[in-house]
């Protein structure tokens, strides 16, 4: 019953910024734990950031201080503001939703719904 659609990816130079958006359908968006994951070529999908129904946030060490996750429940939208981008941030970024209430870093296998992903490429 939940569909997620990412947008905002693209090409950016090292040090630049992008804001990703995830538009969600479904009536229970405000109750879901939401997260961003990314997957680079040849690598496993990894956790990037999470936000709970109470707006507590959690980040992977690799993005702390550079990325900010937020949600607008009135708009059923999840965001990821990415600043000071680095080439190692290059990946397909996925929005994901979990019906369960969770805190801390999320595991990909625990997520119930996924978007199709949006490509982020950071050039040097």
């Amino acid at each position: 019953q939940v569909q997620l659609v990412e947008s905002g990816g693209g090409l950016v130079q090292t040090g630049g910024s992008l804001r990703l958006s995830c538009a969600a359908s479904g009536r229970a968006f405000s109750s879901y734990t939401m997260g961003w994951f990314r997957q680079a070529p040849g690598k496993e999908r990894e956790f990037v950031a999470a936000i709970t129904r109470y707006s507590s946030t959690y980040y992977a060490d690799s993005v702390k201080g550079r990325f900010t996750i937020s949600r607008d429940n009135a708009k059923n939208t999840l965001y990821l503001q990415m600043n000071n981008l680095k080439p190692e941030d290059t990946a397909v970024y996925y929005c994901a939703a979990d019906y369960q209430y969770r805190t801390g870093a999320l595991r990909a296998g625990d997520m119930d719904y996924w978007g199709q992903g949006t490509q982020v490429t950071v050039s040097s």
Side-chain angles (χ1 to χ4, degrees):
Q1 289 186 321
V2 176
Q3 291 186 325
L4 306 172
V5 180
E6 302 96 335
S7 63
L11 275 66
V12 65
Q13 295 182 16
T14 297
S17 298
L18 286 173
R19 188 182 73 166
L20 305 183
S21 297
C22 173
S25 66
R27 54 186 170 84
F29 173 79
S30 63
S31 296
Y32 293 140
T33 303
M34 301 295 298
W36 289 98
F37 294 76
R38 66 187 183 187
Q39 188 166 22
K43 302 191 69 176
E44 296 292 322
R45 190 168 299 187
E46 67 174 348
F47 168 76
V48 175
I51 186 166
T52 72
R53 63 194 299 178
Y54 305 111
S55 294
S56 296
T57 58
Y58 307 90
Y59 299 92
D61 289 341
S62 59
V63 306
K64 285 181 180 177
R66 300 189 298 121
F67 291 10
T68 302
I69 188 172
S70 62
R71 67 195 298 165
D72 187 336
N73 291 335
K75 298 180 179 179
N76 277 17
T77 303
L78 177 74
Y79 302 98
L80 184 68
Q81 178 66 47
M82 305 185 294
N83 296 326
N84 192 24
L85 284 161
K86 305 175 180 180
E88 50 263 45
D89 295 318
T90 295
V92 176
Y93 283 70
Y94 297 91
C95 171
D98 187 357
Y99 179 82
Q100 301 291 334
Y101 173 74
R102 303 183 193 275
T103 58
L106 303 178
R107 298 188 300 180
D110 288 334
M111 309 308 292
D112 298 311
Y113 305 99
W114 293 89
Q116 291 299 113
T118 185
Q119 176 71 48
V120 172
T121 302
V122 184
S123 64
S124 58

